[in-house]
Amino acid sequence: KMRGGGAASMVLRNARSRLRRLAGQSDSGSDRTGRSSPKSASPPRSPGQRTLGAELSTDTESLTLGEGNKHDDMVNVKRSLADMKRWPGLVNGYTNLGFFTVFFGLYVYILLAQQDIPDSHKIDFMVRIGLLDQDGALASVNEPGDFFDYLLKGYDSKKGAFLGSYSANPTPTYTDDTPGGGILGKLFVSQDYNGKTLATNETGYLFNYNKLIGGVQIVQQRGKVGSCPSGASLYDLFYPSCYLSDVIQVVPPQMAGPNGTTVDNLLDPAFVNATIASRFGDRTQLDNPDSAYYPIRSAFEYNNTLGGYGIFLSVAESATGNLNIVQELSKLRWLDAQTRKITLKFTFYNGHFGRFAYAATTLTFSQVGQFVPYDPNSAAVARKTGGGTEVRIASVNMEPYLVYVDFVRLGLELVFMAAVFAQCSHLLRLVGLSVVRRRLMIPPHWLFLDCANLACFIVFIVLRIVLITKIYSNPVAVPTNQYKKIFEECSNLTDTQISFSFINVLLCTIRFFKYYEFQPRLRIVNRTIGAATVHLIHFMIIFLVFFVGFAVLGNIIFGAQVRDFFSIPYAMMALFESLLGNIASGPTIGNANLYYISPYLGLIFFFIWIFISFLVLLNIFIAILMDAYNSAKEAGREDARREGRENPRAVVDDVAGVIVRAMSAMRPRSWKAPAWLLQEALARFARKMDAGGFATVQEELKSLERSKQALEARIEELKQQGADEDPGSWDYHPAWQDHAVPLGELIAEMGKIQKEHKSKAALDPAVAREVCGAHLSFVAQDNAQEPPQQLPPPSLPPPSL
């Protein structure tokens, strides 16, 4: 009943009473019923005390509840009223922050459940370190012959070289105690560690637990041969042809297929002729059916499906047969000067984790005669050169929804999709309201961030749907003797999804700052960033010029000898690492000892970079942030003083307030004293407290503003007259601009000066009057005035002014 019509009539009566008091009709402190309201507990003010400081002379604005009781608790009206008005926004702010935190936590849980990071890491480590030996044997592959050694021979990590020689006929034999015969010896194991031949159902396993799918696919990409890019050089006869970076590609034309689809026309004459032209190698042996090399002839012909020249080592073939094939490729020089890239690909399944793992090792052949090396000793930023040795391993779950835990994750994924589309609809609603009302309902930077984040979420969802569709529409039949490209396609989709997940997590982390705006203490960080933005932009301009300049300088001086500086982007990365502490007193930046490269220039480069970047620019950066933080903290304190507090409310204060309100709401008969009633009572007392002195304060403020304007105008006028300057330093001072002197007195003064200099020639007044007239400016007779007898002292303005 109180919240119905009774509440409406009470609010109407209160509004009428408030209007009468504001109009000056009721200033006696009595309400409509005639009962006296409690008086303010503020100390009495003397008649002459009419300043704003006198109105706020007490520490708190308090009042006494109850009539005639001197021992009642004193209530801080301003703080209490501010807290009650702030409470709805506080609840809304924490609610939005809580919902977004739950949404972000749900997204992170789905990501972790989909990727299964711990199991994926175990598989990655086993392949990268245990099988491929990325920091050892793989890093030693420099020439085409080393690649075959990598496949067939063991590796001595102490010597940093491949061991002995390998022979596959008639049985695999190794010299120099070669263990395993390279990575193919680990992939195609035929004997146990005790020399016993493995049974058929025991073969095809990698380290006993990982079942190889199909076999190993090796693909070579070959470059074209043509004229050197230098053009008409004097040395063309000496170096007639070059091996270009453009790889050979033979693409079949498309033709109409069933049901309106298009398929490759493999019988097209042009395509057939181009495929025949792409062949290389010793064709007399490769095209001879009686030759031992006839089975591997397909490795010397372009394969459109593989996108290069490939050979497949089937797991159904014996280990000796596969090793023989690789040895025959080596004998026929399958890798030569036209080789641009080699990729080794295979897939295996681990039943303990229920996941497939796709691994691809790529080596790019540079135009200086070696594979682009993988250098584990280089700086972290330079470990993967562009197009160099690369190891890519991806885990793929080909049965994403199999057990009940997977279906729980499916339900959470559907909830997540609904939450994303709900946020999209809310954002579209705000944009629509902004268009209708012709003003933004959300700050533009938060609007841009929300749109970017939600767009990435939608892309993530679409990629997930595409991946699930591809998995269930292309079931893998095992065992198989073919290379299944579905694992490579799924791993590519997974990598793309991970890339968008990275962007999403980053944007979500930034979006948290949007939900900190409601809390005063958290808002200080936002204000710090906002206050420092302009200064940081100008600082970054100066820093980037200096940073890029030193990167170019390092590339010029050290780039030819050090990999960390061999390009400007890598030099920038190495310098940035040095800012994070990757330096030594060598002087060393990254892994480059600059002193050994260039003793004098290296020292100068190092010390100038350290001095300016560390001791100057880095401290300026910190000073900008500290100054912005102090400004934000002072602004937060100013907001707190308006609410009657010394410092802004902390999160702990908000939690304590929630607990107190919850305990108060659980008390019996709490509904008889609703919060809106208390807030209205506080508002009435606040108006009564302010009614007495507010008009006086306003009048005094207006008077001071007028005095301030008059003083500022007078100060500016005196400055224009040179009152803040030393008259002795002026030949012509602005203060004398309205003064004039008779010509006779001026000539007489000239005579005195001549006598002071003890000149023998006397000054003729008539001649002086005639000559000096050409140098003087005369005042019109109407404006002529008598010269002042004495100037007032500098501290006192002239009375006439």
Side-chain angles (χ1 to χ4, degrees):
K1 182 177 180 181
M2 186 174 292
R3 294 181 182 274
S9 60
M10 181 180 296
V11 170
L12 185 59
R13 290 195 299 271
N14 293 339
R16 290 173 178 171
S17 176
R18 189 155 56 247
L19 288 173
R20 287 195 298 270
R21 286 198 301 274
L22 291 175
Q25 298 175 7
S26 175
D27 195 24
S28 61
S30 300
D31 56 11
R32 189 176 63 86
T33 59
R35 290 180 294 179
S36 176
S37 301
K39 300 298 181 181
S40 172
S42 303
R45 186 176 62 214
S46 60
Q49 200 173 7
R50 303 178 61 82
T51 64
L52 182 60
E55 294 294 327
L56 303 175
S57 59
T58 57
D59 292 337
T60 58
E61 298 175 79
S62 54
L63 55 91
T64 303
L65 296 178
E67 297 181 3
N69 190 351
K70 297 182 180 180
H71 301 285
D72 280 345
D73 295 332
M74 306 303 293
V75 178
N76 189 320
V77 177
K78 179 186 291 185
R79 183 183 300 181
S80 301
L81 189 58
D83 289 345
M84 295 196 71
K85 289 183 177 180
R86 180 174 171 269
W87 178 252
L90 186 72
V91 173
N92 185 51
Y94 275 109
T95 302
N96 293 334
L97 179 60
F99 276 127
F100 186 75
T101 303
V102 172
F103 171 77
F104 180 67
L106 177 63
Y107 175 64
V108 171
Y109 172 78
I110 291 173
L111 277 181
L112 296 177
Q114 289 178 355
Q115 302 301 325
D116 198 2
I117 304 299
D119 294 342
S120 300
H121 170 71
K122 295 175 184 177
I123 295 173
D124 183 281
F125 184 83
M126 179 271 297
V127 176
R128 192 180 299 272
I129 305 301
L131 175 64
L132 300 177
D133 192 11
Q134 182 173 357
D135 293 344
L138 184 60
S140 299
V141 177
N142 295 319
E143 299 178 359
D146 295 336
F147 178 74
F148 288 107
D149 290 342
Y150 177 67
L151 297 179
L152 298 174
K153 298 179 181 180
Y155 181 77
D156 189 346
S157 58
K158 294 181 180 179
K159 296 180 180 179
F162 294 100
L163 297 174
S165 61
Y166 167 79
S167 176
N169 289 316
T171 58
T173 59
Y174 311 94
T175 60
D176 294 338
D177 195 22
T178 305
I183 66 168
L184 292 184
K186 298 176 183 178
L187 288 170
F188 301 104
V189 180
S190 59
Q191 295 179 350
D192 203 350
Y193 65 91
N194 60 0
K196 181 182 178 181
T197 303
L198 297 176
T200 304
N201 60 347
E202 295 177 332
T203 59
Y205 280 91
L206 173 62
F207 300 132
N208 299 324
Y209 294 101
N210 307 283
K211 185 70 172 178
L212 195 62
I213 305 298
V216 177
Q217 181 73 61
I218 305 176
V219 180
Q220 174 192 179
Q221 290 184 347
R222 298 175 61 81
K224 300 177 182 179
V225 179
S227 58
C228 295
S230 58
S233 173
L234 297 176
Y235 304 99
D236 284 344
L237 294 177
F238 177 72
Y239 205 100
S241 60
C242 289
Y243 301 95
L244 308 180
S245 299
D246 297 336
V247 296
I248 298 174
Q249 291 183 338
V250 181
V251 181
Q254 300 290 315
M255 66 177 183
N259 300 324
T261 60
T262 57
V263 295
D264 294 336
N265 185 7
L266 302 179
L267 300 179
D268 181 73
F271 172 72
V272 174
N273 293 332
T275 303
I276 295 175
S278 68
R279 296 174 180 175
F280 72 100
D282 188 355
R283 304 312 304 180
T284 59
Q285 299 188 61
L286 292 172
D287 295 335
N288 185 5
D290 299 329
S291 173
Y293 302 106
Y294 185 77
I296 62 172
R297 67 188 185 281
S298 60
F300 294 83
E301 181 178 316
Y302 186 86
N303 189 320
N304 177 65
T305 304
L306 299 176
Y309 300 80
I311 187 70
F312 182 69
L313 306 177
S314 174
V315 72
E317 185 73 27
S318 64
T320 303
N322 286 324
L323 298 178
N324 276 331
I325 291 174
V326 176
Q327 194 174 38
E328 290 168 355
L329 291 174
S330 176
K331 291 179 180 179
L332 292 178
R333 292 187 74 243
W334 188 57
L335 304 181
D336 55 16
Q338 283 187 254
T339 303
R340 298 270 67 85
K341 184 180 293 185
I342 291 290
T343 304
L344 180 72
K345 300 185 285 186
F346 57 90
T347 306
F348 58 86
Y349 176 74
N350 190 301
H352 297 82
F353 301 137
R355 302 184 73 86
F356 290 85
Y358 165 78
T361 303
T362 303
L363 298 97
T364 299
F365 206 80
S366 66
Q367 291 177 320
V368 296
Q370 288 185 327
F371 286 108
V372 178
Y374 168 79
D375 185 6
N377 295 321
S378 65
V381 295
R383 286 193 175 184
K384 179 184 173 183
T385 53
T389 302
E390 178 185 356
V391 176
R392 178 169 170 263
I393 302 170
S395 296
V396 180
N397 187 359
M398 300 299 290
E399 296 175 315
Y401 305 110
L402 185 62
V403 296
Y404 74 94
V405 177
D406 299 331
F407 289 100
V408 172
R409 188 183 72 246
L410 175 61
L412 294 177
E413 290 173 352
L414 295 176
V415 172
F416 170 76
M417 292 172 59
V420 170
F421 291 121
Q423 291 189 44
C424 291
S425 62
H426 176 68
L427 187 62
L428 291 176
R429 175 178 172 273
L430 291 179
V431 172
L433 288 176
S434 301
V435 173
V436 172
R437 299 180 181 180
R438 296 184 179 180
R439 64 182 181 87
L440 286 176
M441 305 298 296
I442 183 174
H445 54 283
W446 295 130
L447 178 62
F448 173 78
L449 190 64
D450 290 346
C451 292
N453 195 197
L454 293 176
C456 290
F457 277 131
I458 293 174
V459 174
F460 171 81
I461 293 172
V462 172
L463 289 174
R464 181 64 179 175
I465 295 174
V466 172
L467 177 62
I468 298 300
T469 304
K470 184 176 289 291
I471 288 174
Y472 281 103
S473 60
N474 297 277
V476 179
V478 290
T480 180
N481 294 326
Q482 298 176 350
Y483 174 75
K484 296 293 185 180
K485 202 172 182 180
I486 180 65
F487 298 108
E488 184 176 354
E489 296 173 352
C490 291
S491 65
N492 292 335
L493 281 174
T494 302
D495 288 346
T496 306
Q497 192 177 16
I498 290 175
S499 300
F500 277 95
S501 299
F502 165 78
I503 300 174
N504 280 330
V505 173
L506 180 63
L507 293 179
C508 284
T509 304
I510 300 175
R511 282 182 69 190
F512 267 103
F513 287 92
K514 170 186 174 182
Y515 297 97
Y516 297 155
E517 289 287 343
F518 75 96
Q519 218 289 326
R521 285 294 179 94
L522 299 178
R523 190 166 58 241
I524 291 178
V525 179
N526 291 14
R527 285 179 169 176
T528 300
I529 298 174
T533 300
V534 176
H535 301 290
L536 288 178
I537 290 174
H538 293 84
F539 170 81
M540 288 305 298
I541 294 174
I542 298 175
F543 176 77
L544 286 177
V545 171
F546 176 77
F547 184 68
V548 175
F550 262 75
V552 173
L553 191 62
N555 175 251
I556 294 173
I557 300 174
F558 315 114
Q561 293 86 13
V562 182
R563 187 177 175 190
D564 290 355
F565 289 90
F566 88 101
S567 68
I568 293 177
Y570 274 35
M572 295 174 64
M573 294 179 186
L575 291 177
F576 182 75
E577 277 194 349
S578 70
L579 294 177
L580 303 179
N582 190 15
I583 56 174
S585 58
T588 301
I589 294 179
N591 287 314
N593 193 319
L594 307 183
Y595 182 80
Y596 289 133
I597 302 171
S598 180
Y600 299 107
L601 294 180
L603 286 174
I604 295 173
F605 179 90
F606 181 81
F607 286 113
I608 293 179
W609 167 253
I610 295 300
F611 176 78
I612 297 181
S613 62
F614 273 83
L615 302 182
V616 179
L617 294 179
L618 190 59
N619 285 285
I620 292 176
F621 177 76
I622 296 174
I624 291 173
L625 293 180
M626 291 298 297
D627 183 66
Y629 178 74
N630 289 331
S631 300
K633 188 167 63 174
E634 187 59 34
R637 286 180 178 175
E638 186 64 28
D639 293 342
R641 292 189 189 103
R642 293 192 185 99
E643 298 180 358
R645 295 178 177 275
E646 286 295 326
N647 295 304
R649 286 180 63 95
V651 176
V652 177
D653 299 332
D654 295 339
V655 173
V658 171
I659 295 175
V660 170
R661 286 174 178 267
M663 294 177 62
S664 176
M666 290 187 294
R667 292 177 181 176
R669 298 183 295 179
S670 61
W671 58 273
K672 292 188 176 182
W676 68 267
L677 190 61
L678 175 61
Q679 182 174 347
E680 178 63 23
L682 288 170
R684 289 189 180 186
F685 276 107
R687 287 190 295 270
K688 291 176 181 179
M689 286 178 173
D690 296 335
F694 189 69
T696 303
V697 172
Q698 279 190 326
E699 185 63 30
E700 183 179 358
L701 179 62
K702 293 178 181 179
S703 176
L704 290 175
E705 288 288 347
R706 289 192 295 269
S707 301
K708 176 183 176 182
Q709 295 175 0
L711 290 173
E712 289 177 348
R714 179 57 181 158
I715 290 172
E716 186 64 27
E717 183 179 348
L718 292 176
K719 285 184 177 180
Q720 291 179 358
Q721 296 181 6
D724 58 340
E725 299 288 345
D726 181 13
S729 62
W730 287 63
D731 290 335
Y732 168 73
H733 197 277
W736 322 141
Q737 59 187 356
D738 294 332
H739 297 159
V741 61
L743 179 60
E745 293 184 10
L746 182 60
I747 295 176
E749 188 67 22
M750 293 172 59
K752 294 179 182 179
I753 295 174
Q754 190 177 28
K755 290 181 181 180
E756 291 176 358
H757 287 76
K758 298 179 180 181
S759 176
K760 295 181 179 180
L763 180 66
D764 187 353
V767 175
R769 181 182 295 272
E770 182 180 355
V771 173
C772 293
H775 300 282
L776 298 177
S777 297
F778 295 93
V779 180
Q781 292 298 325
D782 296 339
N783 298 330
Q785 59 178 356
E786 293 294 330
Q789 298 297 326
Q790 185 178 2
L791 293 174
S795 59
L796 297 176
S800 61
L801 295 178

